[in-house]
Each structure stands twice: as C-alpha cells, then as structure tokens.
Amino acid sequence: MKVPARIGLLLAAGLAVGAGVPVAQSDHVKVDQVGYLPGETKFAVLTQEPTGDVLVRRVKDGKAVLAVIAGPPAADADSGDTVRSIDFSALKEPGEYFLEVPGVGESHPFRIGRDIYARPFRLAMRSFTGQRCGTSVTLAPDFPDYQYEACHLQPAQYHASSGKEGTRDVSGGWHDAGDYGKYVVNSGISTGTMLWAYELYEPRLRRLKLDIPESGGRIPDVLAETKWNLDWMLKMQDEDGGVWHKATTANFPGFILPKDDKSPVLVIGTGSAPFKNTTATADFAAVAAIGARVYRKFDREYADRCLAAAERGWTWVQANPNVLYQRNPQGIGTGGYGDGDASDERLWAAAELFRTTGKAPYKAYFAANYGKFSPTLKADSAQGWGNVSNLAMFTYALAGRRAEPTIVRQIRDDALKAADGIVARINANGYRMPLSSKEYYWGSNSVVANYGIMLLLAGRLQPKAEYRNAALDSLHYLLGRNAFNTSYVTQVGTKWAMNPHHRPSGADKLAQPWPGLLVGGPNAEGKTPPARQWKDETGSYTTNENAINWNAALVFLLAGVQP
Ligand SMILES: [Zn+2]
C-alpha cells in the first residue's frame, strides 16, 4: 500500500492545546507502543475513517507538533480491516507523543528516541533468566515479586526409549516455553540465535548489565545467560557423541509453579538403537561450534570443550545421518519437535563447524550439499526449529575469506533477493508486516521476528536503509501496530498480552504476567480472517504461549535494530 501523505510541520502556536472535550483512546489508532527511532520511517495504522488531519501531540504539554493526512482506505484481507496508513516519518525530535485522530480517538503514547528498545531488550533477555531450571529464580531488582524456588532438582531417570538405565544429571537449562520441558532441537535454534545476536552486535551487548547471578564475572551478561542453556545441552550428549532428544516429565503438569512439579524428569530418546537422533545431534553440534567461537576470548577452556563436543557430535551425525525422531515413545505426551528431514540440520552443523575451524571436511560437506536448497534463501521461507537451512547459508556467507567465493556470491544474491521480496510484502501489507496470508500458523509472531532477522542479516551482506526499516516494521507489528492494538510482549508497551499460556504466570498470585515474553500470536488453523485468530487467554496454548525460540528471535531483532 503506497500512501503519499501530505505532511506539514505545524507552527509553534498553530493549534490550540487540549481544546474541547478530551479525546478517548481508541483501538482504531495503532502504533508501536514502545516507539520509533529518530531517523527511521514511522507509520501508524488507522482502522476507522477520520474527520480531519491526524495530529501528533507531545505528551508533556499537549502541543501538536505535526499534522498529517491519513492515506486512502484499503482492504486488508488478513485482518478483515479497512486500513489507512499514517506516515509521520517527518517527526524526528526525541520525546513522548501520541496521535490524535479527529472523529476516532487517540493512540497509546509512544516515544521517539535512540534508546527506546533498551528496556524491551532487557526484559526479553531476562525472560530467559525466568525460564531457568534447577535453580532459584528472581527478576529483582526491577521485578522483585517475580521469583520462584529451585525446581526439578532430582537426577533425571533414563526412560526406556533412551537405551540406558539409571539416572543422569541433566539439571539446568531453560524451561522450553509455558511448560517445564527441555528439548534439544528447540534449544538449538534458540541458543544459536542468541549467540549469533551477540556475535553480530557485540559492541552493543558486551557491557550490557542484566543483573543476573553471573553479572560482574568475566563473561558478558548476555553470553552468561545463554551459557546457562548451552551447559545443559552439553549434558545431553552421550559418550558416543549422539545427543538425546529431550528431558521432560512424561506428561505436561498442570498450572503449578516449577518447584511443585514433582514428576520425575526423564531422558527421552528414539526407542531403538542408536537412541539419539540426527536432528538433535546436528543442532547441538552447530550450537556448540558457535559457542566455541563466541566464548573463546572469555573462557578458552570452555570454548575448547564446546568445540570437542561439536566435533564428536558431527562424527556421530556422519555415522547416523538420518535417524529421525518423528513421534513420542509410548507413554510420553510432552512436546514432540519431530522432524522428518535432517539434511538442513546437518548442513547447519557443517557450516558452523567450518566457520569456527576452517577445516576442509566441513567445507567440502557444505559445498557438496548446499545445492539441495535452491535458491539458498527465499522470501517466503523464514527459519524455524524444524527448518534451519537459512542459518547454514547465512553463517557460511559470514565465514570470511576461507569460504568458496562463488558459493558466497550465490548466497548473497539469494539473500538480497529474499530480502527484497520481504520488503515488498511489508510495503503491500495493511499493517506493514511480513507474513503472507498462509503464515498465520502456530507461533506466527516468531515468523515475523525471523523475517526481521533475515532482513538484518541481508543488511549485513549489503547494507540498505529499506532492510533496516522493514526489520523495524516487523518489530512495530509485534509491539502494538497490529489488529488487536496490543503489544505481544508482556509488560512492554501500554496494553500487552495479559494471559500468556505460561505456567509461572498462571500459577503465581500476581496480576501481571511475567515480563518480556513474546506470545505466539494469531494461529488461523484454516479460520478467517487469519490475523484475528488470537486469544489473550491462558488456555490458548496455540496462540498465547511463550517459547524460548520465539523470545530468542525477539532478542536478536531488538539487538539488531538498536543504533
Ligand atoms: Zn525446572
């Protein structure tokens, strides 16, 4: 939707302040409730007809600083809304503002400033602290009421599907989502995304304090939080190099606090030899290989341990290239994370191991196998836990001069073409967001964030303002500029998802949900309009759960867009 807006900066005394009756806030005026960066494009979405020019008013004194004409009405099929675009990009002055739309109402307040995403980033990062297993947790000092006692402290029992008997220490790690399970496949993309965010944006993140137990240590806080889960992943590797699928109770507990979940944690495998599987082991090898790069300058011994574990994992994958975990063993009802194709996971592992070590076998594996994915990156395919080939491609393209120039050129060309396609989709969408009509599935908000990541990574290969703006547009959707005029991140913005399918939020006595959680978002399941299929209800696990892989994508996006 192209909207040529007439924009006029108002004279200082041009408009009366607070004249007439106070205007009520309206859900028809949708903004990013956190705000906008000074130099970026700034759009709001209006879903009711205005009777005059839209005014941008300053919160502190009510002064109107800008008047714009809303764009023409357009039908947005995904939401069923009639939308008008409000372009107030001309406003660059830092401050707190709101929109006033005659005949409709006011927007939520929002800020313009360079530092506006610092708090959302902090909350999103600390949401991982809140997912920690096997230790007492507190979100003090900013959220002192949000705490729980140590959970799941008993040694885990080998389930019959694991091929072993007895117990194993698989303590630690992050609870996966609204449940308390721990799954290697989903830990893979989550931990990998976080480590990538650090690696790409280190100057911004290195000195950031998160007030976690490790703060003040030799490892930067962002990496220390991530190490909490990588340490757990290392415990899931068997002596033969293979990695078990998950460590969960047999079934999901009710809505109880973590410490009250007394069912035994089980180490769960495929049920027949070799019991470990290829997707989990290859994801593990990829992440441990990233860890070997990222932690090296802070802890050489740990980096060496990660690299050795990654290479042992790769050796196992070479010997067992296609062992799939497609369904839960008898008696197990927790998340499946089943995957019928391990070729993308193998490629990711090879690419990360190559980028970390430069060794010929990894380079050769990548060269011989990347061609299966053609084009290497596509505008309509974001990465997710079951589809990690994008990560393989980007990491190869970022591997430096040891990589094959013709392959790097191909990935770069495909990445830019994909990014151009995502940008085009955002520009054509009524809410300026990247999903196609078919992509409102389980966790659609994470697909939005992952498209944002693709735009930022394409921008690494070829910096372009429109990639950055489009990545920010993806974020604006998540933070309130959507059909529900609601921030999908808890305690971020003004009006946020109140009832995430998140057991601590459901079981504690606090009115507000735990902060910094990105909920799954609209999940159409064939129903229309797709963008409206979201319920802010605790029971709605298909639209309102949180998950570490979704929050990891949010962390990356927030890290990447900040100036
Ligand atoms: Zn736990």
Side-chain angles (χ1 to χ4, degrees):
M1 200 177 52
K2 276 248 156 53
V3 181
R6 178 171 66 81
I7 294 170
L9 279 164
L10 297 171
L11 294 173
L15 281 172
V17 172
V21 191
V23 188
Q25 196 276 322
S26 169
D27 279 336
H28 288 292
V29 191
K30 303 144 197 284
V31 297
D32 180 328
Q33 296 170 17
V34 172
Y36 303 80
L37 297 169
E40 313 299 332
T41 54
K42 300 171 195 71
F43 288 92
V45 170
L46 183 59
T47 49
Q48 210 173 54
E49 191 176 355
T51 56
D53 288 7
V54 176
L55 301 178
V56 185
R57 289 192 185 275
R58 210 157 55 190
V59 166
K60 71 172 178 194
D61 55 8
K63 191 168 99 174
V65 295
L66 184 70
V68 297
I69 295 180
D76 179 63
D78 292 350
S79 61
D81 290 338
T82 300
V83 296
R84 291 170 171 81
S85 193
I86 300 169
D87 181 353
F88 57 105
S89 306
L91 182 62
K92 294 177 164 51
E93 181 70 24
E96 195 179 359
Y97 303 93
F98 63 95
L99 303 184
E100 183 184 302
V101 183
V104 181
E106 290 176 357
S107 74
H108 288 296
F110 59 87
R111 285 175 59 219
I112 292 176
R114 286 174 57 82
D115 63 341
I116 53 171
Y117 297 124
R119 181 179 178 272
F121 182 83
R122 175 182 170 87
L123 267 54
M125 267 309 305
R126 279 162 54 89
S127 79
F128 288 91
T129 315
Q131 297 288 112
R132 287 191 187 194
C133 184
T135 185
S136 62
V137 160
T138 171
L139 296 189
D142 25 1
F143 293 90
D145 296 339
Y146 293 76
Q147 43 88 22
Y148 57 72
E149 292 165 41
C151 55
H152 305 111
L153 292 170
Q154 298 297 318
Q157 299 171 11
Y158 284 112
H159 183 253
S161 62
S162 70
K164 293 210 168 174
E165 289 177 353
T167 62
R168 184 180 183 88
D169 171 23
V170 291
S171 57
W174 296 317
H175 298 142
D176 184 62
D179 68 310
Y180 300 137
K182 298 181 287 191
Y183 308 80
V184 170
V185 164
N186 203 41
S187 273
I189 189 167
S190 307
T191 313
T193 300
M194 309 268 286
L195 292 176
W196 272 29
Y198 184 87
E199 194 171 30
L200 281 164
Y201 307 114
E202 181 174 36
R204 212 170 289 157
L205 303 185
R206 183 165 181 167
R207 275 170 293 277
L208 205 72
K209 287 282 161 278
L210 294 174
D211 299 311
I212 56 176
E214 296 81 1
S215 291
R218 61 180 164 165
I219 296 177
D221 284 7
V222 170
L223 286 185
E225 183 56 58
T226 309
K227 185 172 178 293
W228 181 263
N229 199 59
L230 185 50
D231 287 348
W232 169 75
M233 292 181 76
L234 290 164
K235 292 178 181 176
M236 290 294 286
Q237 185 174 38
D238 197 4
E239 285 72 28
D240 66 357
V243 179
W244 283 287
H245 196 65
K246 60 181 177 177
T248 74
T249 51
N251 290 293
F252 292 126
F255 266 64
I256 54 178
L257 287 170
K259 71 169 170 56
D260 297 326
D261 182 21
K262 302 293 190 196
S263 304
V265 173
L266 310 170
V267 176
I268 294 164
T270 59
S272 59
F275 301 101
K276 285 76 63 179
N277 71 77
T278 311
T279 53
T281 306
D283 280 339
F284 168 87
V287 172
I290 310 172
R293 291 200 302 275
V294 174
Y295 290 100
R296 182 152 303 277
K297 63 181 159 194
F298 307 107
D299 187 342
R300 248 180 68 186
E301 211 173 292
Y302 187 68
D304 287 343
R305 199 180 138 214
C306 286
L307 184 56
E311 296 208 281
R312 284 198 301 126
W314 178 255
T315 302
W316 191 94
V317 164
Q318 289 298 91
N320 302 277
N322 217 22
V323 182
L324 302 173
Y325 186 101
Q326 300 202 69
R327 65 192 63 80
N328 279 327
Q330 190 81 35
I332 299 297
T334 49
Y337 290 109
D339 188 344
D341 183 351
S343 61
D344 52 319
E345 285 82 5
R346 290 196 305 266
L347 195 69
W348 185 31
E352 296 292 4
L353 277 159
F354 168 65
R355 188 175 170 191
T356 301
T357 67
K359 285 182 185 172
Y362 306 126
K363 186 178 182 180
Y365 182 93
F366 190 90
N369 291 280
Y370 84 101
K372 184 197 155 184
F373 305 88
S374 182
T376 55
L377 293 153
K378 299 192 281 289
D380 61 354
S381 182
Q383 58 279 0
W385 64 260
N387 174 16
V388 294
S389 64
N390 288 1
L391 305 180
M393 303 304 173
F394 278 118
T395 209
Y396 190 88
L398 294 167
R401 277 180 297 179
R402 293 178 296 192
E404 211 53 61
T406 52
I407 301 178
V408 171
R409 205 171 309 128
Q410 186 186 340
I411 295 172
R412 186 179 165 281
D413 289 351
D414 290 345
L416 303 188
K417 224 175 284 174
D420 291 341
I422 299 166
V423 169
R425 219 159 50 230
I426 287 173
N427 288 338
N429 183 284
Y431 282 93
R432 300 188 65 83
M433 58 85 86
L435 296 188
S436 68
S437 301
K438 290 180 202 155
E439 289 177 303
Y440 293 87
Y441 46 74
W442 197 324
S444 67
N445 282 343
S446 77
V447 185
V448 173
N450 273 300
Y451 277 129
I453 291 175
M454 288 177 75
L455 290 162
L456 292 173
L457 290 169
R460 268 283 154 151
L461 302 173
Q462 172 72 62
K464 271 193 192 176
E466 59 180 347
Y467 294 165
R468 243 186 89 75
N469 279 322
L472 280 157
D473 276 326
S474 308
L475 185 61
H476 297 326
Y477 168 84
L478 298 176
L479 298 181
R481 196 182 64 195
N482 53 53
F484 295 92
N485 191 35
T486 297
S487 167
Y488 286 122
V489 184
T490 55
Q491 304 225 34
V492 169
T494 305
K495 176 190 171 192
W496 51 74
M498 277 296 291
N499 305 296
H501 183 85
H502 174 249
R503 280 171 175 73
S505 294
D508 67 20
K509 302 278 186 280
L510 304 170
Q512 290 290 337
W514 280 57
L517 302 171
L518 174 66
V519 298
N523 179 11
E525 295 173 321
K527 294 192 281 288
T528 57
R532 290 228 164 256
Q533 308 306 318
W534 173 66
K535 287 191 183 124
D536 189 8
E537 294 170 7
T538 305
S540 183
Y541 57 91
T542 61
T543 76
N544 215 29
E545 191 168 359
N546 64 297
I548 54 172
N549 58 321
W550 306 345
N551 255 85
L554 177 67
V555 159
F556 188 112
L557 190 52
L558 286 165
V561 296
Q562 292 187 67

